Amino acid sequence: MADYRKQGDVAVLHANNPPVNALSYHVRQGLYDGIEAAEKDPSVKCIVICGKGKTFPVGADIREFASGSAKKFPNLIEVCDKIEACTKPVVAAIHGFALGGGLEISLGCHYRIGGTSCKVGFPEVNIGVLPGAGGTQRLPRVIGLKPSLDIITSGCHVGAKEALKLGILDKIVQGDVVTEGIKFAKSVQNQPLHGRRVSTMAVPDVSQANALCNSAMAEVKRKSSGLLAPVACVKSLRVAAQTPYKDGIKIESALMLQLMTSGQAKALQYAFFAERLASKWQVPGGASHATVTPRPVKSCAVVGGGYMGSGIVMCILNAGLPCILVEANQKFLDRGIKMIQGLYAGSVKLGKMSEQDAKKTLSLLKPTLRYEDLKDVDVVIEAVFEDMKLKQEVFGKLDKVCKKDALLCSNTSTLNIDKIASATRRPDRVMGMHFFAPAYYMKLLENIRGAETSPQTVATVTQLSVKIGKVPVLVGNCHGFVGNRMMAPYTTEAQRLLEEGAYPHQVDQVIEEFGIPIGPLKVGDLTGLDVSWKITREVSRMLGLDHTKREDVEPFGLYFPVRNALYEKGRLGRKTGAGFYKYEKAGSKVAIPDPLVMDIIDHHCREEGIDRRRIPPQEIYERCLYSLINEGFKTLEEGIAARPEDVDIIWLLGYGWPRYTGGPMHFASQIGLRRLYGRIEYYHNKYPDRDHWTPSRLLKTLSQQEHPVPLAQWGQFASTTSRL
Ligand SMILES: CCC/C=C/C(=O)SCCNC(=O)CCNC(=O)[C@H](O)C(C)(C)COP(=O)([O-])OP(=O)([O-])OC[C@H]1O[C@@H](n2cnc3c(N)ncnc32)[C@H](O)[C@@H]1OP(=O)([O-])[O-]
């Protein structure tokens, strides 16, 4: 709703829909009615529109897009037009954010003032739509086409100073923005409105419209290949330059409708809410984010200053928390410090941080070689080499020196968290925190709950994760957890395809065309074939197998003859300038298909008596992606992942899965579970020896329902299909 009050001869309209004043039906109706009431009241001379609580409206209510309420009268276009047509001056008084429909409301106003820390922007591209309440038509009339193209196609927020410079804001005010808004409104109440109604203005840089739009179109196509919304934004902005507002708004609406009905908008909006759901955990037994109070965390420590450890230290320092870095010897400690200092120096150089802030942040770091220095910290994150014996040794030491209630966490990507916890006398205060590289940049944190981890430990680690800028997803304990476990069948299939008829570039091309930025074999080269070779050896060892014996490892999906042949030839990937591809030189990024690799593959097939065949792209696509999705369903049926949304967020934020498909689980729902199950069963019959093709029971059950089960209800079927 919107609250209407009068202060003298000023009508003040407060959008009131906590927490972010999204412009749902009742808010729109309240604003529309408020303008009408103020217009009719002769004692009102001017009007101020503002937001209750922490922000101005941040946009349309995204949930209403699916329900259809967004179209109900008055829709946002009608509200904006009503405001603009008002015969009394209307001032938008912005604090917090004015985003999307919120900014459109303010562009409908005759004046805009903002607090010093306010931000404006059109983030619609992030949810697959465009500023469809006149945003693409009004913004360029105020600030010109060039900056409008930048703002609308990027979805970036614009700070108060920049907004003033561009002309979005008429004034920046100190203090209470509503009080200032009232003062401002009074100062303009007798000014003529002619020239203040944005829809009647001309686009200032109209003469350059074609050149600007052509170059923006090329740029969005290059940057966001496959995304529909940025392309529609450029089209709509071009219209603003060429057409009067009344016609432009119709074309904008038509483009909006096209986007709204695209699968991309649905998937991106799903991802928006899934990301916000991630930190709302619940564990079997009922404890949840809503019922458990986290312990305060005032200081942290990181054990291990390698690439991951240093990145983790930076996340902690950036959050303003003191952090101790422990290393095994001075050489490693110096290397870690140097890496951290170098990264901050880089940020200063790029203008992302002031020298003073970098210095202040670095002053929170305390390097040491002594575990005893950790005796008072609240949370320790271990980031040593991925080796169970070593990790257990570290946890044993930590358990001895750290205070009783300190939490001990392991940055492990695959290892059994219960086994690590068993080296301590506090398994209830042990958790996994799987960071993704580079840790200071990647938003995902896969937090792993052990069998004995207490709800309060989960609550504390979740809160810390959010504080250090991450999106935490709570998962259960199994080899590879959710992300890497799903990765295994995907990479296995990619490599098996090489033995049957495909070459590396053919596999990668299909996956990259789907939207994952780097195909699985290029990822292999990036990680290093020696690294994956060692992992295979370690996993084989854990399973009691001899990794050199095909008959031992093949049944477990651990037989990668092409990778092994390349590894034995010293082709370790990018770092040696050769792996599944060749590179101009060691360390180069551009992967070039290598005839030598094709010869190695052909030779292997001849030796093994394999008749190579042409593998159609559709088969590459299904074998890599469907095997991964099947594994995702298995993590759900086993309770390793709590919700399909969690699986999706892990893949969207950690593995480059294209956001406009919503993630593997949402994508599965779009394929149709019956069809998907059919294809997985087909491959299971074709490759019965590959365990990852055994269809998930949950998927089977869901696929057999008479009507498609909405994704949000899959969890109800998980408990009935679980074997745990
Ligand atoms: C024709 C139409 C044309 C117009 C199109 C548009 O305007 S399109 C829209 C263009 N605008 C956007 O895309 C802006 C999207 N919003 C944002 O970018 C951020 O919310 C923020 C930067 C405003 C605040 O960040 P923050 O970290 O402080 O807070 P937070 O992110 O955690 O959110 C708090 C709660 O509010 C919820 N919620 C938020 N927004 C919406 C919404 N629009 N709707 C519904 N709900 C929304 C959010 O789910 C969460 O709910 P929960 O989990 O507590 O139940």
Side-chain angles (χ1 to χ4, degrees), residues 18-20 22-23 54-55 58-65 70 75-77 97 99-102 104 121-124 126-127 129-134 157 252 256 260 269 272-273 276-277 280:
V20 290
L23 294 155
K54 64 175 187 180
T55 184
V58 305
D61 185 337
I62 302 168
R63 290 189 199 278
E64 281 195 349
F65 290 161
N75 66 27
L76 253 179
I77 298 179
F97 295 96
L99 303 177
E104 284 169 320
F122 281 122
E124 280 84 343
N126 300 328
I127 52 164
V129 294
L130 52 67
H157 295 167
E252 183 192 84
M256 180 73 166
M260 281 286 208
Q269 287 158 29
F272 175 87
F273 290 112
R276 280 152 183 83
L277 184 68
K280 299 185 172 100

Side-chain angles (χ1 to χ4, degrees), residues 47 65 88 118 133 135 139 144 191 194 211 220 272 281 314 395 415 433 456 470 508 599 704 714:
I47 302 153
F65 290 161
K88 299 171 183 176
C118 79
L139 188 66
Q191 301 287 320
H194 177 73
V220 297
F272 175 87
W281 58 273
M314 289 178 73
F395 270 71
L415 297 179
M433 287 178 91
Q456 196 180 44
K470 304 296 176 195
D508 283 345
D599 283 348
Q704 288 169 340
W714 290 1

Side-chain angles (χ1 to χ4, degrees), residues 117 294 302 403 408 415 435 455 465 493 498 569 573 583 609 637 709:
S117 60
V302 173
K403 63 182 178 185
L408 308 181
L415 297 179
F435 285 80
S465 308
E493 280 304 315
L498 303 182
K569 286 186 176 359
Y583 300 82
E637 82 195 15
V709 181

Side-chain angles (χ1 to χ4, degrees), residues 44 53 107 135 195 276 280 282 330 363 370 437 585 622 656 713:
V44 170
L107 291 169
R276 280 152 183 83
K280 299 185 172 100
Q282 180 164 16
Q330 195 62 46
S363 71
R370 291 158 33 97
K585 56 179 195 304
E622 290 183 351
Q713 289 166 26

Side-chain angles (χ1 to χ4, degrees), residues 269-438:
Q269 287 158 29
Y270 159 83
F272 175 87
F273 290 112
E275 197 167 323
R276 280 152 183 83
L277 184 68
S279 56
K280 299 185 172 100
W281 58 273
Q282 180 164 16
V283 293
S288 77
H289 69 100
T291 58
V292 183
T293 311
R295 291 176 63 85
V297 175
K298 296 205 177 81
S299 61
C300 296
V302 173
V303 183
Y307 181 56
M308 286 309 287
S310 303
I312 298 169
V313 167
M314 289 178 73
C315 299
I316 296 166
L317 299 180
N318 290 343
L321 284 170
C323 183
I324 302 177
L325 171 63
V326 200
E327 253 300 359
N329 61 49
Q330 195 62 46
K331 190 174 145 206
F332 289 171
L333 190 62
D334 290 345
R335 191 191 55 186
I337 299 167
K338 209 167 148 201
M339 193 160 11
I340 295 166
Q341 286 171 336
L343 284 161
Y344 279 117
S347 295
V348 172
K349 212 166 165 188
L350 290 171
K352 290 185 182 164
M353 203 175 199
S354 72
E355 206 164 338
Q356 202 184 2
D357 283 348
K359 227 170 150 184
K360 196 170 148 205
T361 308
L362 269 167
S363 71
L364 296 167
L365 173 64
K366 187 177 167 218
T368 184
L369 295 174
R370 291 158 33 97
Y371 272 69
E372 293 72 31
D373 291 344
L374 310 188
K375 66 180 177 11
D376 294 325
V377 295
D378 298 314
V379 176
V380 184
I381 303 171
E382 159 279 310
V384 301
F385 190 69
E386 190 78 340
D387 177 282
M388 180 58 82
K389 223 172 122 211
L390 178 61
K391 289 199 189 260
Q392 283 186 327
E393 212 176 285
V394 170
F395 270 71
K397 274 196 214 169
L398 290 172
D399 190 44
K400 283 199 186 91
V401 298
C402 291
K403 63 182 178 185
K404 214 170 79 244
D405 54 1
L407 305 188
L408 308 181
C409 303
S410 173
N411 170 50
T412 172
S413 55
T414 49
L415 297 179
N416 186 329
I417 203 71
D418 291 332
K419 263 193 168 174
I420 297 176
S422 71
T424 73
R425 289 157 301 172
R426 59 176 96 190
D428 57 320
R429 270 158 284 148
V430 174
M431 252 184 102
M433 287 178 91
H434 176 202
F435 285 80
F436 287 71

Side-chain angles (χ1 to χ4, degrees), residues 161-217:
K161 269 192 195 159
E162 181 66 11
L164 181 72
K165 207 163 109 195
L166 287 168
I168 299 176
L169 291 181
D170 296 297
K171 191 178 176 188
I172 294 179
V173 295
Q174 311 281 337
D176 177 54
V177 83
V178 180
T179 313
E180 294 301 320
I182 293 169
K183 269 194 225 159
F184 186 92
K186 279 171 168 293
S187 74
V188 294
Q189 70 184 29
N190 296 320
Q191 301 287 320
L193 288 176
H194 177 73
R196 300 296 319 175
R197 294 196 171 96
V198 174
S199 70
T200 62
M201 298 175 181
V203 175
D205 48 356
V206 69
S207 60
Q208 299 157 48
N210 267 335
L212 287 171
C213 291
N214 290 346
S215 110
M217 187 62 96

